[in-house]
């Protein structure tokens, strides 16, 4: 069964075809980065306009690359939440029109649940980096521009939030630090690259300590770190030439990853789960991957493994949408054509301590 997946929640106009929830037949991602770069952030009005201009050719290319025609597609899926409303509506409306005109099922999918699913896809003829398939239950590490979620997955749609950010998302902190220092856009990729030539011990940035409080063992906070790094900016300007920007990038990145891993390993320790599935743009970060690999190689964590999507599927893509949608489809679920877009994450269960929905 071949599903066309469409993703337009933010600044990537993406479409893909996936067979049987597993094999990626094509994956087209048209990035809008050059259009948002002059503003050092995503401009919602530009994003939705570009999606409107590009969606037809992106879908056409996804079909062509898979060697398929519209009548070969069995169902259409699209991201309906969370994201920028104007952008979401473009992909969602296109998917509904495609499904209606061909009289095939339409399935609306949550973007963050799809990020969690990405590591189960088979891409470019390769399984993701594991010898054995991922089996439920497992821990999820979801880190994107707008969300940071540590969760427990018991089935593709039975996901409980264990921890989340109490303020900013991790990706947002990368992007804001890069913006204030004029490092460039998008911040995460640039900081990752700069940090490779920097000293991560050059600056000591604060790690929040609230996690010791009851109910916060798996939560993270990035607002304090973000502000502490930005507050170095004046020193950075005055001592122009003395402070290496690469050192700022490396020290920030190290602290950001330390915060994340502390919460993740608390959850691993308490849950006793033996697999972690990672997903979201920030999980492409090379330092995060190296730290995790190093930790998992230690005696203490030898029984635990982490599965990452290939870098092409860490960020936003249509393949994760089509892959996840297959599971809803075979269970008999369909979304109505009245389905609307929403800015918020839905579909995750709340954690046992009754914390809010993930931010
Ligand atoms: O999942 P994603 O592509 O879009 C959202 O759902 O938000 O994630 C985008 C985020 C941005 O904040 C971007 O700076 C960050 O992922 N990102 C990275 C890296 N690549 C992308 N952050 C750190 N290191 C990277 N290599
Ligand atoms: Zn995303």
């Amino acid at each position: 069964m071949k599903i066309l997946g469409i993703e337009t929640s933010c600044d990537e106009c993406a479409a893909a075809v996936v067979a049987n929830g597993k094999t990626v037949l094509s994956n087209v991602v048209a990035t809008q980065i050059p259009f948002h770069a002059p503003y050092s952030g995503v401009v919602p009005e530009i994003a939705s306009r570009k999606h409107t201009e590009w969606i037809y050719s992106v879908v056409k290319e996804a079909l062509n690359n898979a060697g398929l025609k519209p009548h070969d597609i069995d169902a259409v899926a699209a991201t309906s939440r969370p994201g920028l409303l104007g952008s979401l509506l473009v992909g969602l409306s296109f998917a509904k029109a495609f499904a209606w005109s061909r009289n095939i099922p339409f399935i609306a999918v949550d973007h963050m649940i799809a990020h969690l699913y990405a590591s189960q896809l088979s891409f470019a003829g390769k399984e993701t980096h594991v010898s054995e398939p991922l089996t439920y239950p497992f821990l999820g590490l979801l880190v994107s521009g707008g969300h940071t979620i540590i969760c427990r997955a018991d089935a593709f749609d039975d996901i409980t939030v264990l921890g989340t950010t109490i303020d900013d998302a991790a990706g947002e902190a990368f992007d804001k630090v890069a913006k204030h220092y004029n490092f460039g856009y998008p911040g995460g990729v640039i900081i990752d690259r700069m940090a490779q030539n920097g000293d991560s011990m050059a600056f000591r940035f604060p790690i929040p300590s609230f996690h010791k409080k009851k109910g916060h063992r798996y939560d993270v906070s990035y607002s304090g770190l973000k502000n502490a790094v930005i507050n170095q900016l004046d020193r950075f300007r005055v001592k122009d030439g003395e402070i290496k920007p690469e050192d700022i990038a490396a020290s920030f990145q190290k602290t950001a990853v330390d915060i994340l891993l502390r919460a993740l390993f608390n959850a691993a320790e308490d849950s006793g789960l033996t697999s972690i599935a990672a997903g979201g743009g920030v999980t492409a970060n090379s330092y995060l991957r190296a730290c995790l690999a190093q930790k998992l190689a230690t005696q203490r964590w030898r029984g635990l493994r982490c599965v990452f999507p290939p870098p092409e599927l860490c960020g936003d893509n249509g393949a994760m949408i089509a892959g996840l949608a297959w599971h809803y489809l075979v269970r008999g679920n369909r979304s109505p054509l009245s389905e609307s877009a929403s800015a918020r994450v839905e579909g995750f269960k709340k954690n046992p301590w009754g914390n809010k929905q993930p931010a």
Side-chain angles (χ1 to χ4, degrees):
M1 197 181 284
K2 298 179 190 75
I3 300 186
L4 169 68
I6 296 176
E7 154 60 45
T8 60
S9 66
C10 192
D11 59 346
E12 316 285 11
C13 188
V17 182
V18 176
N20 301 327
K22 180 87 188 151
T23 310
V24 180
L25 302 179
S26 65
N27 185 47
V28 177
V29 180
T31 182
Q32 300 180 357
I33 286 172
F35 299 93
H36 300 288
Y39 308 95
S40 304
V42 178
V43 182
E45 175 64 20
I46 294 177
S48 43
R49 272 174 190 268
K50 288 290 156 203
H51 286 310
T52 310
E53 288 167 20
W54 293 355
I55 187 72
Y56 175 77
S57 30
V58 166
V59 168
K60 198 168 172 196
E61 195 178 331
L63 291 174
N64 283 346
N65 291 358
L68 300 172
K69 298 274 180 233
H71 62 253
D72 298 317
I73 295 297
D74 299 298
V76 191
T79 307
S80 62
R81 58 169 197 257
L84 303 169
L85 284 180
S87 292
L88 284 166
L89 284 169
V90 178
L92 197 60
S93 305
F94 194 96
K96 286 181 193 174
F98 192 112
W100 179 79
S101 64
R102 301 223 50 81
N103 196 23
I104 55 176
F106 158 69
I107 294 152
V109 165
D110 183 282
H111 180 85
M112 295 313 293
I113 298 181
H115 268 310
L116 183 64
Y117 186 75
S119 58
Q120 298 187 52
L121 293 165
S122 156
F123 183 69
K126 280 184 276 176
E127 292 293 318
T128 41
H129 309 262
V130 275
S131 42
E132 349 150 17
L134 199 57
T135 50
Y136 295 102
F138 54 76
L139 275 177
L141 174 67
L142 296 175
V143 207
S144 70
H147 300 86
T148 312
I149 303 169
I150 291 172
C151 55
R152 176 195 165 100
D154 285 282
F156 75 92
D157 66 340
D158 183 1
I159 302 160
T160 307
V161 175
L162 301 176
T164 183
T165 178
I166 62 162
D167 40 53
D168 297 347
E172 187 184 340
F174 274 88
D175 295 337
K176 292 274 164 63
V177 165
K179 179 175 176 166
H180 278 84
Y181 279 87
N182 243 333
F183 288 163
Y185 174 84
V189 185
I190 289 171
I191 287 179
D192 189 351
R193 203 179 313 132
M194 287 174 69
Q196 287 166 19
N197 299 314
D199 174 7
S200 64
M201 304 305 278
F203 296 90
R204 280 176 77 89
F205 293 124
I207 292 204
S209 58
F210 69 89
H211 80 288
K212 288 185 187 133
K213 288 189 200 150
K214 194 164 177 281
H216 281 301
R217 246 171 91 71
Y218 322 128
D219 283 340
V220 295
S221 158
Y222 281 100
S223 151
L225 169 63
K226 180 190 75 182
N227 288 322
V229 179
I230 293 171
N231 288 342
Q232 293 288 330
L233 193 56
D234 288 339
R235 240 179 96 196
F236 179 73
R237 284 199 189 113
V238 173
K239 299 202 170 185
D240 192 17
E242 276 177 56
I243 297 181
K244 273 177 65 188
E246 288 83 1
D247 288 351
I248 299 263
S251 304
F252 159 73
Q253 178 177 263
K254 179 189 182 312
T255 315
V257 168
D258 284 350
I259 292 171
L260 199 57
L261 293 190
R262 183 182 62 181
L264 178 68
F265 281 91
N266 279 345
E269 182 173 27
D270 297 353
S271 67
L273 295 173
T274 53
S275 299
I276 303 164
V282 182
T283 62
N285 185 267
S286 58
Y287 181 76
L288 168 67
R289 288 178 174 229
C291 279
L292 250 169
Q294 208 176 33
K295 205 150 176 174
L296 295 179
T298 59
Q299 190 64 31
R300 168 74 183 85
W301 296 108
R302 202 144 270 175
L304 185 64
R305 66 178 179 149
C306 184
V307 186
F308 284 95
E312 296 88 338
L313 301 182
C314 282
D316 295 347
N317 64 85
M320 64 185 191
I321 306 300
L324 175 63
W326 180 79
H327 293 269
Y328 291 106
L329 190 70
V330 295
R331 199 171 61 183
N333 296 145
R334 307 282 185 274
S335 302
L337 293 181
S338 57
E339 181 85 26
S340 195
S342 157
R344 293 193 58 77
V345 180
E346 280 163 45
F348 284 77
K349 289 184 191 165
K350 288 177 188 166
N351 76 25
W353 304 284
N355 277 11
K356 57 191 186 309
Q357 278 281 302

